[in-house]
Amino acid sequence: MKIINGSVCAPRGFLAQGVEAGIKKIDKKEVAIIYSTEPCTAAGVFTSNKVRAACIDYNKACLADSTARAIVANSGNANACTGEQGIKDSQRMADLTGELLGIEGSDVLVGSTGVIGVFMPMEKVEKGIRKAAAALSRDGEHNAAQAIMTTDLTSKELAIEIEIKGKPVRIGGIAKGSGMIHPNMATMLAFITTDAAIDSKCLQKMVKAAADRSFNMISVDRDTSTNDMLVVLANALAGNPLIDVEGSEDYLLLQEALDFLCISLAKMIARDGEGATRLIEVQVVNAADYEEARQIARSITASNLTKAAVFGEDANWGRILAAAGYSGADFDPGRVDIYLGQEKMAENGMGLIFNEERARQELKQDPVLIKVDLKSGKEQATAWGCDLSYDYVRINAAYRT
Amino acid sequence: MKIINGSVCAPRGFLAQGVEAGIKKIDKKEVAIIYSTEPCTAAGVFTSNKVRAACIDYNKACLADSTARAIVANSGNANACTGEQGIKDSQRMADLTGELLGIEGSDVLVGSTGVIGVFMPMEKVEKGIRKAAAALSRDGEHNAAQAIMTTDLTSKELAIEIEIKGKPVRIGGIAKGSGMIHPNMATMLAFITTDAAIDSKCLQKMVKAAADRSFNMISVDRDTSTNDMLVVLANALAGNPLIDVEGSEDYLLLQEALDFLCISLAKMIARDGEGATRLIEVQVVNAADYEEARQIARSITASNLTKAAVFGEDANWGRILAAAGYSGADFDPGRVDIYLGQEKMAENGMGLIFNEERARQELKQDPVLIKVDLKSGKEQATAWGCDLSYDYVRINAAYRT
């Protein structure tokens, strides 16, 4: 597996673009299109929030046939809590994109992100779609990555290449997310392309597994969004033998690559969490049960007290253990060891005398590594979060534009 | 029901005191004793965190016989994650207090609050216990309330009087809590006394019900503590006919009074949440199911995004609805109305054009009132929280003393 240049246009047969459309008050790109020259097998996972954006329900219906060929997305407006009008607007975005690209509207997926509860400024959105569709290119992928940003400080892009039966297979992805990040099925807009040949059943299974290990393991503020989505388009241009057996050698190769890509993008989102100064990685090891390891790791990354302690460079392992304790997981606190980077802070649930200066140095790292050893089995899980700083409050206490 | 002067010594037969013991680096009171001249029926509810302070397990064992006569408590050290030594220290606190008061050590309950994972400075604690025991008095109750404070800015005290079959019955309570507040059985140290005559089964039932409507409905930072406890001592000095039938007229009178007291103390804790500038009250009305109303109300009060929006006086009802959406409750977002004080912000899950100036005025109130109308039934629940300010980060990013 190797990292290669680019993102969603690194796999063969994909074009993209991102453009300004005047949706936000400031000069930023707001409309993106990703397009495959060939038909694709498609799969996605979506937010579990009961309050869902119009595009979420639209995409679920659209993916009933497991095919798609394009994605159109906008930032600046989430199209959530917008009722019937919102549904019409998502449909219109897909139809217009399809018309301009010469494909069915039902082969276009829709993503929106931004303010909740305001109707879409469709005139501007349509203008943006026309502009983006006219300018699709391989190097438009960076603009596309920028066009889905909201409070993000950096765009999130990555592409990798693996070899399956002698054929180079590429996977690329872009993602966004900075606040309202505590995904519980997928995350706030992640679009992934691949030229792998894979059937729809295997693809859906693989996407769900990758999401559970990546986007579903990050938290910025414990607020699960109304718009989370991860969608993958696979156009088969790599020419590898069709992957149609779950758990086969080729399946596992592709799963490993997809996991790596999703985890990398997810970590970029957590690192760029609103106000964050550092990424926090929490490894829970030697657990009796995978689900419990997962619960504990997520609970720690979501704890305001732990996040504030990391911001303040305070080696407060008691808050870490307390967050494990209320996670809902069943474990024996009297067996738990806690490490901060290389420094062991607690053993068998009790504090050790540790080197404060070394602990503080570990807290200055990016990422900060927290390891929780349950000494009860062989399962493990890793979650990612970020620290809680004054800037998180500043960003979210201000009226947004 | 009327509010009367004082707190835990307002009911007949109770004495208390709080003293300095040198546990904290600053000059503050740290050890409290509450004592009943007569034997009491006692009941309590405790944290559901898997990681529990030594005193929690001690108290549960101690309450097996449903009797107690005194409470000894300290601030500055939580005696949590302290292993065998911690258990010995809780036991020693009880035994020494019993010895000094001439009662069994097994009739003394123990509460601790402060830093996790550090052994108790027992020499100082014992000195404090001796000092407090020697100075017990009726007006020592205010000192006792102060001695259990940590990052609290205000002490929390209240007493009320009701009449049962012509006999005045009094209930008084003190509480503390400011950070690590998201109780899930009880809360960080609440001690309540009453001179009501009530049997142990009725008392335990009543305390659990009151906790579920009060302390279990507040959140400061979604971090459930290792030390939460609510204990009630009832010494029967009021001379009312013994309450021994659940649901009887007298039972309901006392339950109403206990609910009022617990809700009042719980609101004081939320209002004094670390860094808080305002109390937030969330009422979920016309729900089909009480548990779901409760889940939604708690989810909104715990949402960092909603809390930061209140701090910033931003009428962001989308965050409120999103927090309801991920609460786990089953409801129809398309029926939901949301009010900010008197101002209706959203109807049937969609935004209304509202008066921004009036909305902003509602956000300047203390408490800020948020009402979520599900229009689906007759159940309702109320939860309390506070806003998320820069000071929450400052307080928790700094090393604590």
Side-chain angles (χ1 to χ4, degrees):
Chain A
M1 183 159 55
K2 64 179 182 193
I3 292 173
I4 56 175
N5 283 334
S7 58
V8 286
C9 295
R12 275 147 286 202
F14 286 96
L15 304 173
Q17 194 52 269
V19 298
E20 286 186 26
I23 299 172
K24 299 173 192 163
K25 287 172 191 160
I26 34 178
D27 285 352
K28 287 203 172 170
K29 301 187 180 72
E30 299 118 333
V31 174
I33 294 178
I34 301 167
Y35 166 71
S36 169
T37 57
E38 310 298 317
C40 297
T41 300
V45 285
F46 301 94
T47 186
S48 60
N49 198 316
K50 286 287 287 182
V51 179
R52 290 185 305 273
C55 55
I56 299 292
D57 291 335
Y58 170 82
N59 288 343
K60 283 185 183 176
C62 196
L63 282 175
D65 64 358
S66 299
T67 63
R69 236 173 109 171
I71 301 166
V72 60
N74 73 279
S75 57
N77 190 313
N79 197 15
C81 308
T82 44
E84 288 298 319
Q85 187 60 47
I87 296 168
K88 279 184 202 152
D89 291 343
S90 282
Q91 184 72 53
R92 173 67 186 146
M93 285 174 72
D95 288 345
L96 177 61
T97 306
E99 191 184 304
L100 294 166
L101 300 177
I103 60 177
E104 294 296 319
S106 62
D107 274 336
V108 180
L109 298 171
V110 180
S112 293
T113 174
V115 66
I116 294 175
V118 176
F119 290 127
M120 292 281 276
M122 284 305 291
E123 203 174 315
K124 292 172 179 170
V125 172
E126 291 189 16
K127 197 183 110 199
I129 292 173
R130 290 177 200 281
K131 205 165 141 188
L136 288 175
S137 71
R138 280 203 63 197
D139 60 9
E141 60 190 352
H142 308 296
N143 291 335
Q146 285 166 24
I148 59 173
M149 290 165 63
T150 54
T151 51
D152 305 62
L153 297 178
T154 60
S155 67
K156 286 101 189 159
E157 304 184 62
L158 191 67
I160 54 178
E161 186 178 292
I162 55 173
E163 215 180 82
I164 297 183
K165 297 274 190 295
K167 301 280 185 186
V169 172
R170 294 168 188 160
I171 316 181
I174 62 175
K176 67 81 53 180
S178 187
M180 210 180 252
I181 294 293
H182 186 80
N184 198 12
M185 271 314 272
T187 191
M188 194 76 186
L189 305 201
F191 302 134
I192 292 175
T193 58
T194 178
D195 46 21
I198 179 167
D199 77 4
S200 62
K201 212 177 125 201
C202 284
L203 184 63
Q204 180 61 42
K205 195 110 191 170
M206 200 177 278
V207 169
K208 174 74 172 70
D212 280 344
R213 291 170 203 156
S214 58
F215 300 110
N216 284 356
M217 291 304 277
I218 62 171
S219 185
V220 169
D221 49 18
R222 215 168 190 160
D223 277 277
T224 301
S225 160
T226 50
N227 287 49
D228 292 344
M229 70 170 72
L230 159 64
V231 293
V232 181
L233 302 184
N235 68 8
L237 283 182
N240 61 294
L242 182 72
I243 296 172
D244 56 3
V245 179
E246 195 191 326
S248 66
E249 191 187 341
D250 294 353
Y251 181 100
L252 295 178
L253 271 174
L254 191 63
Q255 175 84 65
E256 187 190 13
L258 185 63
D259 285 357
F260 176 83
L261 188 91
C262 287
I263 287 172
S264 301
L265 290 171
K267 285 165 74 172
M268 292 182 207
I269 289 175
R271 177 61 188 82
D272 192 26
E274 285 175 338
T277 72
R278 304 209 247 327
L279 178 69
I280 301 173
E281 176 167 315
V282 177
Q283 303 168 348
V284 176
V285 301
N286 299 320
D289 181 84
Y290 171 69
E291 270 311 313
E292 287 178 354
R294 215 166 162 269
Q295 271 173 279
I296 292 171
R298 287 211 94 184
S299 184
I300 294 168
T301 56
S303 156
N304 275 352
L305 287 173
T306 300
K307 291 153 62 76
V310 170
F311 176 61
E313 297 170 8
D314 178 2
N316 197 320
W317 61 269
R319 294 180 185 177
I320 295 169
L321 190 54
Y326 65 70
S327 66
D330 186 27
F331 68 100
D332 178 0
R335 290 178 78 90
V336 177
D337 297 350
I338 299 176
Y339 298 79
L340 196 55
Q342 298 298 311
E343 197 69 12
K344 195 174 193 173
M345 313 292 296
E347 191 172 77
N348 295 326
M350 291 170 58
L352 295 173
I353 294 162
F354 59 88
N355 184 314
E356 291 221 15
E357 184 45 37
R358 280 212 302 269
R360 193 144 197 179
Q361 284 310 315
E362 295 289 359
L363 283 162
K364 288 183 192 293
Q365 302 304 309
D366 184 10
V368 170
L369 295 176
I370 294 170
K371 189 166 82 177
V372 177
D373 188 344
L374 302 181
K375 297 188 293 191
S376 307
K378 295 184 167 186
E379 297 294 331
Q380 61 178 73
T382 304
W384 298 271
C386 58
D387 55 343
L388 175 63
S389 75
Y390 298 111
D391 276 350
Y392 178 85
V393 178
R394 182 184 55 71
I395 291 164
N396 286 299
Y399 282 78
R400 294 212 192 188
T401 50
Chain B
M1 184 158 57
K2 64 179 181 193
I3 291 172
I4 56 176
N5 284 335
S7 58
V8 285
C9 295
R12 276 146 285 202
F14 286 95
L15 304 173
Q17 194 50 270
V19 299
E20 285 186 26
I23 298 172
K24 298 174 193 162
K25 288 174 192 158
I26 34 176
D27 286 351
K28 286 203 172 169
K29 300 186 182 72
E30 299 118 333
V31 174
I33 294 178
I34 301 167
Y35 166 70
S36 169
T37 57
E38 309 299 317
C40 297
T41 301
V45 285
F46 302 93
T47 184
S48 61
N49 197 317
K50 286 286 287 180
V51 178
R52 291 184 304 271
C55 55
I56 299 292
D57 290 335
Y58 170 82
N59 288 342
K60 283 186 182 175
C62 195
L63 282 174
D65 64 358
S66 299
T67 63
R69 237 173 108 171
I71 300 166
V72 58
N74 72 280
S75 58
N77 188 314
N79 196 16
C81 308
T82 44
E84 287 299 319
Q85 187 60 47
I87 296 168
K88 279 184 200 151
D89 291 343
S90 283
Q91 184 71 55
R92 174 65 186 148
M93 285 173 71
D95 288 345
L96 177 61
T97 306
E99 192 185 303
L100 294 166
L101 300 177
I103 60 176
E104 294 296 319
S106 62
D107 275 337
V108 181
L109 298 170
V110 180
S112 294
T113 173
V115 65
I116 294 175
V118 176
F119 291 127
M120 292 280 276
M122 283 305 291
E123 204 175 314
K124 290 172 179 168
V125 172
E126 290 189 16
K127 198 184 107 196
I129 291 174
R130 288 178 202 282
K131 206 164 140 188
L136 288 175
S137 71
R138 280 203 64 195
D139 60 9
E141 61 190 353
H142 307 297
N143 291 335
Q146 285 166 24
I148 58 173
M149 290 164 63
T150 54
T151 49
D152 304 62
L153 297 178
T154 61
S155 67
K156 286 103 187 157
E157 304 183 60
L158 192 66
I160 54 178
E161 186 179 289
I162 56 172
E163 215 179 80
I164 297 184
K165 298 274 190 295
K167 301 280 184 186
V169 172
R170 295 168 188 161
I171 317 180
I174 61 175
K176 68 82 52 179
S178 187
M180 209 178 250
I181 294 292
H182 187 79
N184 198 13
M185 269 315 272
T187 190
M188 193 74 186
L189 303 200
F191 303 135
I192 291 174
T193 59
T194 178
D195 46 23
I198 179 168
D199 77 4
S200 62
K201 213 177 125 202
C202 284
L203 185 63
Q204 180 61 41
K205 195 109 191 171
M206 199 177 278
V207 169
K208 175 73 173 70
D212 280 344
R213 291 170 203 156
S214 57
F215 300 110
N216 285 356
M217 291 305 276
I218 61 171
S219 185
V220 169
D221 49 17
R222 215 168 190 160
D223 276 277
T224 301
S225 160
T226 50
N227 286 48
D228 292 344
M229 69 170 73
L230 159 64
V231 293
V232 181
L233 302 184
N235 69 8
L237 284 181
N240 62 296
L242 182 73
I243 298 173
D244 55 3
V245 179
E246 196 191 325
S248 66
E249 191 187 341
D250 295 354
Y251 181 100
L252 295 177
L253 271 173
L254 191 62
Q255 176 82 65
E256 188 191 12
L258 185 63
D259 285 357
F260 176 82
L261 188 89
C262 287
I263 287 172
S264 301
L265 289 172
K267 285 166 73 172
M268 292 183 207
I269 290 175
R271 177 60 188 83
D272 192 25
E274 287 175 338
T277 72
R278 305 209 247 326
L279 178 70
I280 301 173
E281 177 167 315
V282 177
Q283 302 168 348
V284 176
V285 302
N286 299 321
D289 180 84
Y290 171 68
E291 270 311 312
E292 285 176 357
R294 213 166 165 269
Q295 271 172 278
I296 292 170
R298 287 211 93 185
S299 185
I300 294 168
T301 57
S303 156
N304 275 351
L305 287 171
T306 300
K307 290 153 62 77
V310 170
F311 176 61
E313 296 170 9
D314 177 3
N316 196 320
W317 62 269
R319 294 180 185 179
I320 295 169
L321 190 54
Y326 65 69
S327 67
D330 186 26
F331 68 99
D332 179 359
R335 290 178 78 89
V336 177
D337 296 352
I338 299 176
Y339 298 80
L340 196 54
Q342 298 298 313
E343 198 68 13
K344 195 174 194 173
M345 313 291 297
E347 192 172 77
N348 296 327
M350 290 170 58
L352 295 173
I353 293 162
F354 59 88
N355 183 314
E356 292 221 16
E357 184 46 37
R358 280 212 302 269
R360 192 145 197 177
Q361 284 310 314
E362 295 289 359
L363 283 162
K364 288 184 193 289
Q365 303 303 309
D366 184 10
V368 170
L369 296 176
I370 294 170
K371 189 165 84 176
V372 176
D373 189 344
L374 302 181
K375 297 189 293 191
S376 306
K378 295 188 165 183
E379 298 293 332
Q380 60 177 75
T382 304
W384 298 272
C386 59
D387 55 344
L388 175 62
S389 74
Y390 298 111
D391 276 349
Y392 178 85
V393 178
R394 184 184 54 71
I395 292 164
N396 287 298
Y399 281 78
R400 296 214 191 185
T401 49

